[in-house]
Amino acid sequence: MSDSALLNEPQAAAVAHARGPLVVFAGAGSGKTRVITYRIANLIANERVAPYRILAVTFTNKAAGEMRARVGKLVGPELGREIWVGTFHATCARILRRWGTSVGIPPSFVIYDTQDQRTLVGRILKELDLDDKRYPARAMLARIGKEKQELRGPADMTRGSYDDGVAQRIYARYEERLLAAGAVDFDDLIVKTVALLDGQSPDAMSLARRFEHVLVDEFQDTNAAQYKLLRQLSESGQNLCVVGDDDQSIYRWRGADIRNIRSFTEDFPGAKMVKLEQNYRSSGAIVQAALGVIEPSKGRVPKQLWTANETGEPVDVVAVQNERDEAAFAVRVVREAQAAGRDLRELAIFYRVNAQSRVLEEAMRAERVAYQVVGGQRFFERAEVKDALAYARALINPRSDVDLLRIINVPARGIGQTTLDRIVAFANAEGVSIAEALRDPRATAHVAAAARKKLAAFVSMMDGLTDQTRAMAPSDALEHVLARVGYVEALQRDDGVEAESRLENLRELVGSAREFESAESAEPPTLATFLERVSLQSDTDDVEDEGKVTLMTVHAAKGLEFDTVLITGMEEDMFPYRSLDPSRDHDVEEERRLAYVAVTRARRRLFITHTSQRQVFGSTRFGRPSRFIDDMAKEVRRHSVTEGARAAEPRFVDRGAASSSFERTSAAAPWRHPQAAPPPRHNPGDRFVDREFFDDADPSETGVQRGSRVMHEVFGEGRVTAVEMSSDPKVVANFPGWGDKRVLLRYLKVL
């Protein structure tokens, strides 16, 4: 649906609603971003609302950028720049930069990412003499994050056990360390802004009255803290417009509360409700399949998704033998798309858990298929990039201990761990930052003279860099720092491939800063604003525009769309993931919504695979097709079986392409390929040998012997290592990349 097209009736109703609360239930592909952008344009053009008094919030930088660009086209670039458009975290960071001093947040605060947080908690565990195996940093941070999302500080935590008390101590010390470092974590961006608005300071009162209209996208993904923030910011005018879809609420595990959108009209009794049910994205078959998946969902707000698009190709449901057969099929889908002239950027392969990606990646590499993994190690998480950013952050905010400890001996300056431990102990005892401790003669009184000299040189170098980079553009500042501290020189001395790759990454970082400088923004490009932009990057912002197949989890696919989608691993226990226990029915509900999200990412073609067995997490799972496949209307499904699955005696027997019925057998029931010969009958008293192994079987009986070359349709070419004589002979053969496999001889071609 192009920007020049007319709004449909429900869209127009949402755009025209000028005053009072509004909830828009927007089905997948129904044009919700268009509604938000046109609503903003209508408020400015027809309701005479000043642009700077409009706040539009979403969850990803990609979505915010798209929204900002669309609004700019509608109202013009100058007015567009005045509107506050951004993610929750970016918006709160901007607010705290301006008004954060009211809640003790300095304008130069830094944002600690996950690794920074773990480093800090690791230090705290040592300070408190706690076992990091019993209280791992990751688990402690998860607990702290959960408390913050519910707006509970250390004193508000529920203490029902000894471990709760320990977590409370860690949380309290963690907060102290963040405050001392002039740092915040991601949850703090929301929590501190809520605290600011809860106060009675002039800044709080000014901020509470600033926005006349607040609009939020993906409202179903909000947690308790985010919902309170939205209510605070819209309290004066009650002009809160929320757009979302309870059918696409998939982030309960990170705090999202589906009740926020389902009970919005109870929280705001006079709110207007609009439902967007026409899908503009997908073919008729895909929309019908998606509706079949989501309709059984419990407690959903009724919506009847429909489309005027053509029916298109049926949904291809493919039974495969195992995860390698599945990967081989994925490669075939890619090759067919290439042969048809399709852009690989429009093809995505989804999986439920990250562990599934390994075999898919191996197959892509083996077939030289260009691909990208969304959610893998991101550029800004690479060691050399984090080192460079830590230098920059330490210049802006010297009190950030995490950054200072990361760089003080990188590159190596001969400052040993024992020396650092003494400095850290002094800083903790005195309640000062490490930067302040380094300037205190008492901190280095018991440090060797040579070490004192090196520490003094480091302090002098950082002071000089602070002065030198103060007026520099971000890219120039980064280049200067990396050269001055000796980082580039150290990598240049190491002429290995890895060192060159790290140098390339640093050049890419500088290039990223230059792009940031050239982008239009309401604020001047400083090193501080560049670091803030980097800190707020998300996984989906890393989706590249090059011609590569995209591999990603379904969670990471939220908000994206592709011409062709392959959903792998659609088996019970994989998708829905380990949710067969009736006592965990709420998990099944979220898995159903996740499946709905996966299906609705596809525009034209949708493939679904399920295996009869899968190696995952070091064990073999025997699977049956996911219940979500059965929920799709039969008339939009087209079933098929790969040759690998057909040759491996599948547990599920395809009844034909026009049928959706699979023969289901219990785990204990015998099953065999329909073409397999029945076992021979034996009379009582007959000597019967079930099977015998021969390293050198008579080739006249089997046609093969040890060393024979054989070909298998799935495993490729292999070499026989043993022959197993029985009523239906088997061989053990070694297949490169697969290892030893025992295969029925009748499924092999002797070369």
Side-chain angles (χ1 to χ4, degrees):
M1 184 163 112
S2 67
D3 281 341
S4 60
L6 294 175
L7 296 166
N8 65 33
E9 187 175 339
Q11 289 174 334
V15 167
H17 181 73
R19 297 288 167 182
L22 168 68
V23 56
V24 180
F25 283 94
S30 61
K32 62 184 176 62
T33 304
R34 177 179 175 78
V35 166
I36 294 173
T37 53
Y38 269 68
R39 179 171 167 77
I40 292 172
N42 182 66
L43 290 173
I44 294 173
N46 298 324
E47 302 299 326
R48 304 302 180 188
V49 178
Y52 67 87
R53 301 204 66 190
I54 298 174
L55 169 64
V57 185
T58 187
F59 274 84
T60 69
N61 292 303
K62 183 182 178 70
E66 181 182 353
M67 190 182 297
R68 190 179 297 109
R70 289 197 192 186
V71 170
K73 287 181 181 179
L74 293 173
V75 304
E78 290 187 9
L79 291 178
R81 279 194 291 270
E82 292 185 37
I83 303 166
W84 281 54
V85 180
T87 65
F88 273 97
H89 293 113
T91 299
C92 289
R94 185 176 175 185
I95 289 172
L96 292 174
R97 294 279 180 210
R98 187 173 301 184
W99 295 292
T101 52
S102 297
V103 286
I105 304 298
S108 61
F109 70 85
V110 296
I111 304 169
Y112 278 4
D113 64 14
T114 303
Q115 187 57 52
D116 298 328
Q117 291 175 268
R118 288 179 189 164
T119 300
L120 179 55
V121 171
R123 283 181 54 203
I124 291 169
L125 291 172
K126 288 183 179 179
E127 292 170 17
L128 299 178
D129 195 24
L130 293 169
D131 184 356
D132 60 2
K133 292 184 174 59
R134 181 173 178 180
Y135 304 103
R138 184 192 297 269
M140 292 300 98
L141 284 168
R143 176 68 186 273
I144 291 170
K146 183 178 180 180
E147 298 295 334
K148 288 189 176 187
Q149 288 166 7
E150 296 294 328
L151 296 172
R152 290 192 294 263
D156 306 315
M157 289 177 62
T158 302
R159 292 184 57 178
S161 67
Y162 174 80
D163 285 348
D164 286 341
V166 172
Q168 186 180 48
R169 290 167 58 203
I170 294 170
Y171 187 4
R173 185 68 61 91
Y174 175 77
E175 291 295 277
E176 292 171 5
R177 290 288 178 266
L178 286 178
L179 182 63
V184 297
D185 60 23
F186 283 99
D187 289 318
D188 278 335
L189 292 171
I190 311 294
V191 171
K192 299 299 183 183
T193 306
V194 167
L196 168 63
L197 287 160
D198 271 342
Q200 298 298 317
S201 68
D203 287 343
M205 297 174 67
S206 172
L207 180 59
R209 294 191 300 266
R210 181 178 182 86
F211 300 112
E212 189 175 342
H213 284 267
V214 177
L215 304 91
V216 59
D217 192 11
E218 305 289 4
F219 182 65
Q220 76 281 347
D221 294 332
T222 54
N223 59 34
Q226 290 163 337
Y227 190 18
K228 180 172 182 180
L229 172 68
L230 293 170
R231 297 183 73 166
Q232 288 174 317
L233 290 172
S234 60
E235 188 172 4
S236 61
Q238 293 290 294
N239 295 319
L240 176 59
C241 169
V242 302
V243 182
D245 184 7
D246 59 327
D247 291 339
Q248 298 184 67
S249 179
I250 61 174
Y251 296 118
R252 183 179 59 83
W253 50 275
R254 69 183 190 195
D257 191 342
I258 197 171
R259 294 172 298 181
N260 290 349
I261 190 167
R262 286 181 174 173
S263 63
F264 186 82
T265 53
E266 297 174 16
D267 296 338
F268 294 87
K272 180 181 179 62
M273 179 191 294
V274 175
K275 295 180 183 179
L276 307 182
E277 298 170 301
Q278 183 176 0
N279 178 289
Y280 292 91
R281 175 189 301 155
S282 305
S283 69
I286 292 171
V287 168
Q288 196 172 349
L291 191 59
V293 170
I294 199 61
E295 277 190 322
S297 181
K298 299 175 183 177
R300 68 186 289 260
V301 175
K303 294 176 289 295
Q304 193 66 29
L305 200 68
W306 64 278
T307 185
N309 296 338
E310 294 181 357
T311 302
E313 293 282 338
V315 175
D316 282 291
V317 180
V318 184
V320 299
Q321 177 196 356
N322 54 30
E323 72 277 6
R324 292 192 178 276
D325 191 23
E326 183 176 61
F329 176 76
V331 170
R332 288 200 294 276
V333 170
V334 174
R335 291 304 189 204
E336 288 174 6
Q338 285 180 310
R342 306 285 182 191
D343 188 340
L344 291 189
R345 291 175 296 184
E346 290 296 339
L347 198 154
I349 300 172
F350 298 163
Y351 35 86
R352 176 62 184 83
V353 294
N354 277 306
Q356 292 173 254
S357 74
R358 179 183 61 82
V359 176
L360 291 166
E361 288 190 67
E362 288 174 356
M364 296 293 165
R365 286 197 297 267
E367 294 297 323
R368 306 183 73 82
V369 173
Y371 71 92
Q372 60 171 333
V373 178
V374 175
Q377 186 183 33
R378 294 163 48 203
F379 175 78
F380 291 106
E381 292 173 350
R382 292 166 182 163
E384 61 276 8
V385 175
K386 285 184 68 68
D387 289 342
L389 295 175
Y391 268 107
R393 296 200 305 184
L395 293 178
I396 292 172
N397 181 4
R399 292 191 296 152
S400 178
D401 290 351
V402 168
D403 292 309
L404 206 63
L405 287 174
R406 183 181 183 96
I407 63 173
I408 195 168
N409 201 40
V410 178
R413 298 186 176 88
I415 300 173
Q417 190 59 47
T418 301
T419 298
L420 289 178
D421 288 344
R422 288 174 177 167
I423 299 296
V424 170
F426 177 86
N428 291 340
E430 295 293 320
V432 299
S433 69
I434 291 173
E436 291 170 305
L438 288 172
R439 300 173 186 278
D440 192 324
R442 295 176 297 163
T444 57
H446 301 290
V447 173
R452 281 202 302 272
K453 185 175 181 181
K454 292 168 183 173
L455 290 171
F458 174 77
V459 170
S460 176
M461 178 187 72
M462 294 300 290
D463 286 345
L465 286 172
T466 300
D467 293 336
Q468 295 157 13
T469 59
R470 185 170 286 117
M472 287 185 179
S475 59
D476 293 335
L478 287 170
E479 278 188 317
H480 180 76
V481 168
L482 290 169
R484 176 68 180 82
V485 302
Y487 204 104
V488 171
E489 182 184 353
L491 289 176
Q492 288 173 337
R493 285 199 303 267
D494 180 356
D495 59 359
V497 175
E498 182 181 351
E500 179 56 33
S501 176
R502 296 178 71 185
L503 281 169
E504 289 174 353
N505 289 334
L506 292 175
R507 295 185 194 107
E508 183 67 20
L509 176 64
V510 173
S512 174
R514 288 206 177 94
E515 288 180 10
F516 173 74
E517 293 160 12
S518 62
E520 289 190 359
S521 174
E523 298 184 3
T526 64
L527 189 56
T529 55
F530 173 70
L531 292 173
E532 182 176 300
R533 199 285 301 267
V534 168
S535 297
L536 298 174
Q537 290 287 311
S538 67
D539 286 346
T540 52
D541 298 322
D542 293 336
V543 178
E544 300 176 7
D545 291 329
E546 300 175 17
K548 298 178 180 179
V549 178
T550 299
L551 274 61
M552 64 194 337
T553 64
V554 182
H555 279 104
K558 181 72 165 57
L560 303 177
E561 58 185 76
F562 301 89
D563 188 64
T564 301
V565 167
L566 168 58
I567 307 173
T568 63
M570 265 284 199
E571 305 116 37
E572 290 291 321
D573 269 359
M574 283 301 296
F575 201 173
Y577 182 62
R578 294 189 183 279
S579 57
L580 298 181
D581 182 354
S583 67
R584 301 176 62 201
D585 196 47
H586 61 279
D587 290 343
V588 177
E589 290 303 302
E590 180 135 339
E591 291 291 306
R592 182 175 294 282
R593 296 192 294 269
L594 189 60
Y596 174 75
V597 167
V599 170
T600 54
R601 299 309 95 195
R603 298 193 201 101
R604 192 181 66 87
R605 293 297 307 275
L606 176 62
F607 297 88
I608 294 172
T609 57
H610 61 88
T611 67
S612 57
Q613 68 179 53
R614 179 183 299 277
Q615 283 278 349
V616 64
F617 306 131
S619 62
T620 300
R621 292 185 180 185
F622 294 97
R624 63 183 187 275
S626 169
R627 67 190 73 180
F628 302 142
I629 295 175
D630 287 340
D631 289 332
M632 299 176 188
K634 293 181 179 180
E635 58 268 24
V636 301
R637 286 185 273 157
R638 178 169 56 196
H639 289 270
S640 61
V641 181
T642 65
E643 288 301 316
R646 199 180 299 279
E649 304 181 341
R651 300 174 72 219
F652 306 104
V653 181
D654 186 32
R655 297 297 191 188
S659 170
S660 63
S661 173
F662 286 83
E663 179 181 1
R664 301 192 178 195
T665 64
S666 68
W671 51 268
R672 63 177 61 86
H673 190 275
Q675 297 177 352
R681 293 182 179 274
H682 297 278
N683 297 319
D686 285 354
R687 180 177 182 273
F688 172 61
V689 179
D690 181 51
R691 63 177 180 270
E692 297 176 0
F693 288 91
F694 298 90
D695 284 344
D696 291 298
D698 185 352
S700 64
E701 295 185 34
T702 62
V704 295
Q705 61 183 338
R706 187 171 59 182
S708 295
R709 291 168 52 242
V710 292
M711 175 65 72
H712 186 273
E713 185 155 354
V714 174
F715 305 140
E717 184 178 335
R719 192 170 295 276
V720 174
T721 58
V723 180
E724 180 182 333
M725 295 300 297
S726 66
S727 57
D728 196 1
K730 302 180 180 69
V731 302
V732 178
N734 182 271
F735 298 93
W738 296 85
D740 288 340
K741 298 289 181 182
R742 180 179 289 109
V743 185
L744 288 170
L745 180 58
R746 52 193 163 90
Y747 291 121
L748 294 172
K749 178 181 178 182
V750 181
L751 302 178

